Every structure is written in C-alpha cells, then in structure tokens.
Amino acid sequence: MVVQRVAVIGAGPSGLTSVKACLDEGLEPMCFESSHDIGGLWRYKEKPEPGRANVYQSVVINSSKEMMAFSDFPPLPELPNNMHHTEVLKYLRLYAHKFNLLPVLLGVYAADFTGTGRWIVETETVDSQRATHVFDAVLVCTGHFSVPHLPLKDFPGIESFPGRYFHSWDYCNPTGLEDKTVVVIGFGNSGSDLAVDISRVANRVYLSTRTGAWVTCRVGPKGIPADIAWITRTGALMQKLFPSWSNRMFEKKMNEMYDHQLYGLKPKHSFLAQIPVVNDNLASQIISGRVRMKPNIKEFRESNVIFTDGSIVENVDVVVFATGYKHSFPFLQLRSAYMLHLYRNVFPAALSPPTLAVVGFISGAGSINPAAELQARWATRIFKGLVSLPKQEDMMKAIEKEPGMHYRFSGSGHNSLQVDFIPYMDSLAHEIGVHPNVLTLCLKDPILALEVFTGPCTSYQYRLTGPGRWSGSRNAILTQMDRVREPFRTRMVPGPETSSLSQQNVIMFFGCTALLCWFFCNMYIRPVFPLW
C-alpha cells in the first residue's frame, strides 16, 4: 500500500515534530487539533478543558532546554535552561513557524480504519461545520495526560468527606487554598510540585505516598542543569556495565543533598528501578514544616484522614489526588486491544498494514521531545516503505521483553510507558540509519567524538549522519554549553575562569577508557592468562 496523505492528530510537541517528519519524507500531512491553538500540554488554560492536557500556572519544565530541543532547532541562547511553560510554548511557536508546520485544522475529530486499509477522519469545528477526510496513515500525538485517573474506590470513606477533593489535572494555582489543611495523594512530579505550591499559602500540607521516591533536583554539579551533567553516553555505558555500582553512586548523591530516610522520602526500590521525582523545593518545605510526609491512606472518617501507620490528621479541608492518568484514545474507532501492545511504544503489533503509529506515548528519565521526534522519523520511513517492521509474532515477543513492561522498572501502572532514555533513542536511530558512530568520529573528528561520548546526549547527535542529516548539527553540539551558560550572564563577576566542560569531559573520557580496559581484562584476558 502506497502512503501519501497522513493525518496527524494533536498539535503539541509530538504533533508538530510529526508534521515536520512527514514533510521531510515528502508526505502530505494534515494536522488536527481539538482545541483552539497549538502547544498541547504547554498551552496553559485558566480553566481546564475536558479531554485535554493541563498544566498549572507556576509549572517549570523538568528537562533543560538543550535536552528537550528538537534535533535541528537549537533553542535561543537567552532562554532560561529550565523554561516556564510560557517559554516552552514560545519555543514551539518558533519551531512551527521556522519549518512552516502550520496551519492546523481545529475542531473535534474521530478516526476509523476502513477495510481498504485507509483511514477516515471526521471533524467538527466550533461553529458545527462537519467534514470528512480520507488518509493513507495516521500519527496519533495526543500524549497521556488528558484523562485523569481518580481511584476513589481505593480510599474507603471518601464519600463521607465533607471537604473538597479534586484531581491534580484540575489544579491551576493555590487561590482558594489559603489557610487550609490539605492532603496531597501521590508522590510523582505533579504531587510533589502541587504540595510545594500549595504549602506557600496553606496552613499545612501533608504529602501521602504508598512507596516513597528518590528526589533529585534540576540543578546539577556546579549549578549546571542536572540532566546536562548526568544524561550522557558515558553514564549510560556505566549503568549497563556496572548497574549495582551506578545505583550506589546515584543513591549516595541523592542522600548527600538530604537523607531520604530522615525526610521520610526513601522508597523500597533502588534509584535506577524507577524514574526519580524532580523537585528543587520539596526539602526546604519539609525542613520548615510546611510539608509533612505521610504513608498511604487507610480510610477517611468524615474530615479526618487515617494513615496506614495509625496516625490521624484531623479537620482536613481539601484533598488533591495526584494519582496519574488513564491511557485513552477516544477518537479512534478501533478496538482498545490494539493499543495495549505497541511495538517500540509506537506501532500496534496486531494491526496490518502498519498505517497507524503513536508518537510521544512514552515516559523516561529524559525529555519526551527528542524521543518523539525519532519515533516520528522512524514511523514516516515505515509509511514510505523505506524501513520494514518485523513479523507480527516477532513484534509480540519483543513487546513482552521490553524493560518497561517487566524486569527493569518497579511496579506501577505507568511503567508500561517507561523506556531507557538513551538506549531507546539509539534503537530507533539504528532503525532510521542516523545513530552516531563514536569510533568513526574518533578517527575523523576527535573533538566532536569527545563531546558526543562524554557530553550531554542531546538530539543534535541524530542529525550528524544518515537520512535527514543537518549540516548545522556539529556546531549545535559544540556550542550547546555556550547556550547553557548564556542565561546566567545577567551579572558578570570578574575572577579566574572556571574549568570548562571540555576539560571535565577529557577527564571523564580517560576515566571511562581505563574502566573499560579493566573490565575487558577481567572478562576476556585474565581467564585465558590467569597469571597475567
């Protein structure tokens, strides 16, 4: 089947980069968005809109700008490293205008798979104008933060609670929570953020968690963004070769900031077993008594909350459920079973021919944007027939073995979306033919090779070679730390120059090389020559 016309559903980051991937492959995309503007999650709404993702007023992105950037569109140097949602939306608008990704058709939509292998998309605009379109393929880019999961049945007595309760999806700002006693249920990024935000005006905030979590910060060594420092190919290699040592190292780093056991944060799982919570202010709110950690809730007795350790908080005014989201594709007239088994988190393994792909439906220790971009680049090449998928039975076997499903991540309903950030992107890059070859770079361009291997694993690396190669990728990689430093230059302080990242990278490079030599000797040489 020849694919030419592609429907892209959703105009958030994943949708915009999917439109661009289609254009790059010579396809004809048409983007559909149910709201009145682009931006998806990052378009703040003063009043949450049902069926759409929502962010609260004070939200700042956890990933730094270089780590969340698309591969051929570096962010403006003056933008802060961890951007406010308004600045993320600004970046997306610039991206859309740069590559002419607009216009987007606005309105309600529904997609149905026909017996011919094509897709019928029906739309209805706000002024009730209906239209029907036929496409050869569909890219679903609606994310997984639209349908709140509110498990009230897990909290006996909640029906007798006289106060107010709501899901974190409904939260915009702490207005109306002044001087209240608030319980936040759920210790993910949203739960911790809301607990901190509310604690600035509330009488007291209690943060309830079933399992605890490792908590890290946006600020890394010497003040550079933490993901710039830690999400590197060197780090990924160390985690693969020495997982136990890596776990101990990370946990030691986390406990150097504050003792997780002392603060009531420590989980049962190891650091690498689950994505950590990112929060710069939780510890300060705990140490000042504004937030108090509590275990899981046993039951509600009117306005009193009883926890599993027997402790009671009386006269609770508000309960916030930060309990995650349901996986939902209500606009697809397709059996939900298809969407439960996604090969590489992208293609429904049971659907043939492969003309439906899901983009951005993942979670990891890095930004979704660069991974979603690679998903879109891979999917469009499959649509074009330039790359093939394995047989259905092989895809099903691969799905069962994926680390997010079973053995790597600790138990959670959200873990079916979790991927190992760098290995996952590299696996897609290999399929597309854009994976950077560090050994080849060492011979041709050692300076670039050093930065690719020991520096932050930014998306520009996947534009160095192969289909979609961008001539500006080398410069984007070598100047990324300049863009990291630029927003700090609001007050220049005279003094000796601090050591550059390149010097640190050289040390890391030789240290990693020494460790690899030691590992190779112990694994392969010493068993053959025991006296060596």
Side-chain angles (χ1 to χ4, degrees):
M1 177 179 173
V2 178
V3 171
Q4 189 62 35
R5 301 189 73 232
V6 180
V8 178
I9 300 181
S14 297
L16 293 175
T17 199
S18 293
V19 171
K20 183 178 182 299
C22 289
L23 294 173
D24 289 346
E25 291 294 346
L27 300 173
E28 299 173 13
M30 182 178 289
C31 188
F32 297 90
E33 168 59 47
S34 64
S35 67
H36 67 272
D37 198 1
I38 69 169
L41 174 68
W42 299 107
R43 184 177 64 80
Y44 172 72
K45 310 149 192 84
E46 291 186 3
K47 185 178 180 180
E49 302 167 354
R52 302 186 186 111
N54 184 50
V55 291
Y56 37 96
Q57 195 170 30
S58 63
V59 76
V60 171
I61 192 168
N62 287 334
S63 298
S64 64
K65 64 179 181 181
E66 292 298 317
M67 299 302 294
M68 60 80 67
F70 294 118
S71 60
D72 50 2
F73 193 66
L76 296 173
E78 62 268 22
L79 284 172
N81 282 291
N82 288 88
M83 296 185 283
H84 186 256
H85 62 78
T86 55
E87 292 155 330
V88 177
L89 185 58
K90 176 182 178 180
Y91 173 79
L92 294 176
R93 291 195 191 283
L94 292 171
Y95 178 70
H97 286 289
K98 167 73 174 179
F99 296 107
N100 195 27
L101 307 181
L102 303 174
V104 174
L105 295 184
L106 307 177
V108 181
Y109 42 79
D112 191 12
F113 190 58
T114 70
T116 64
R118 286 185 166 82
W119 293 84
I120 296 176
V121 177
E122 298 179 352
T123 62
E124 182 179 354
T125 62
V126 290
D127 54 0
S128 299
Q129 292 187 2
R130 294 173 177 261
T132 299
H133 312 266
V134 180
F135 293 94
D136 304 313
V138 173
L139 288 166
V140 176
C141 311
T142 52
H144 47 91
F145 298 109
S146 299
V147 182
H149 175 54
L150 194 61
L152 298 182
K153 61 181 177 58
D154 295 338
F155 299 91
I158 186 66
E159 65 279 355
S160 67
F161 179 66
R164 174 189 173 200
Y165 66 83
F166 58 90
H167 192 274
S168 57
W169 177 88
D170 291 295
Y171 181 84
C172 290
N173 55 58
T175 301
L177 301 178
E178 295 86 350
D179 301 319
K180 304 292 186 182
T181 298
V182 180
V183 173
V184 178
I185 302 172
F187 190 22
N189 286 321
S190 294
S192 59
D193 275 359
L194 266 60
V196 168
D197 203 37
I198 296 169
S199 69
R200 296 190 174 102
V201 302
N203 174 49
R204 185 68 51 78
V205 174
Y206 297 87
L207 181 54
S208 170
T209 173
R210 289 183 301 173
T211 61
W214 294 100
V215 181
T216 186
C217 296
R218 297 180 181 91
V219 182
K222 296 189 176 181
I224 67 170
D227 54 0
I228 285 284
W230 299 118
I231 301 180
T232 66
R233 293 189 178 278
T234 309
L237 182 61
M238 291 297 100
Q239 290 175 36
K240 182 178 180 180
L241 295 177
F242 312 107
S244 297
W245 174 83
S246 297
N247 256 314
R248 291 195 301 270
M249 185 270 291
F250 278 118
E251 290 177 12
K252 181 181 178 182
K253 289 284 185 184
M254 298 304 102
N255 283 319
E256 283 176 356
M257 293 190 292
Y258 35 84
D259 188 324
H260 279 58
Q261 184 170 358
L262 176 66
Y263 274 60
L265 305 171
K266 186 177 180 179
K268 295 179 180 179
H269 60 263
S270 62
F271 182 85
L272 293 177
Q274 191 166 308
I275 297 171
V277 169
V278 180
N279 197 292
D280 296 291
N281 302 305
L282 180 60
S284 65
Q285 297 304 91
I286 292 175
I287 203 170
S288 63
R290 306 305 304 163
V291 173
R292 295 191 176 185
M293 299 301 301
K294 301 295 289 184
N296 197 28
I297 292 175
K298 179 181 179 181
E299 62 177 318
F300 286 82
R301 292 179 187 169
E302 295 186 344
S303 62
N304 298 336
V305 178
I306 294 88
F307 297 89
T308 53
D309 62 355
S311 60
I312 300 175
V313 175
E314 298 179 339
N315 301 318
V316 173
D317 300 300
V318 179
V319 177
V320 182
F321 287 87
T323 45
Y325 293 83
K326 299 177 183 178
H327 305 163
S328 177
F329 303 93
F331 51 87
L332 280 178
Q333 309 301 312
L334 191 69
R335 286 189 298 112
S336 60
Y338 280 119
M339 311 307 292
L340 296 178
H341 297 91
L342 296 177
Y343 178 64
R344 301 280 182 89
N345 293 72
V346 178
F347 282 95
L351 187 66
S352 182
T355 55
L356 173 69
V358 183
V359 175
F361 198 59
I362 51 173
S363 176
S367 173
I368 290 177
N369 289 4
E373 182 182 30
L374 284 168
Q375 289 178 325
R377 293 173 69 185
W378 178 50
T380 51
R381 290 185 68 77
I382 287 176
F383 290 164
K384 287 271 290 187
L386 301 172
V387 180
S388 299
L389 288 175
K391 295 179 180 178
Q392 181 179 333
E393 55 267 28
D394 294 333
M395 288 193 287
M396 295 300 292
K397 290 178 182 178
I399 290 169
E400 291 300 314
K401 293 179 180 178
E402 284 179 0
M405 293 293 290
H406 292 294
Y407 68 87
R408 163 69 188 276
F409 297 107
S410 63
S412 167
H414 191 58
N415 287 339
S416 61
L417 304 183
Q418 290 188 8
V419 297
D420 277 331
F421 186 62
I422 295 178
Y424 179 74
M425 291 198 298
D426 281 352
S427 70
L428 296 179
H430 276 295
E431 296 283 350
I432 303 167
V434 297
H435 184 269
N437 190 314
V438 178
L439 293 179
T440 301
L441 286 176
C442 283
L443 299 175
K444 293 183 177 180
D445 194 338
I447 293 176
L448 179 61
L450 185 67
E451 191 67 17
V452 167
F453 186 59
T454 64
C457 186
T458 47
S459 60
Y460 320 125
Q461 297 186 10
Y462 302 109
R463 292 285 182 181
L464 288 170
T465 187
R469 180 181 178 275
W470 175 46
S471 60
S473 57
R474 181 183 188 274
N475 183 64
I477 293 170
L478 296 180
T479 58
Q480 57 195 2
M481 289 310 299
D482 294 331
R483 292 189 296 277
V484 169
R485 297 187 187 99
E486 181 61 30
F488 293 110
R489 302 183 191 278
T490 54
R491 175 178 175 259
M492 300 300 292
V493 180
E497 288 289 327
T498 57
S499 61
S500 67
L501 186 67
S502 296
Q503 291 172 326
Q504 298 171 20
N505 285 357
V506 171
I507 295 171
M508 291 174 64
F509 180 79
F510 284 109
C512 185
T513 302
L515 281 170
L516 287 173
C517 291
W518 173 86
F519 179 77
F520 181 80
C521 289
N522 277 276
M523 290 294 293
Y524 300 106
I525 297 180
R526 186 164 292 175
V528 180
F529 304 102
L531 298 179
W532 184 81

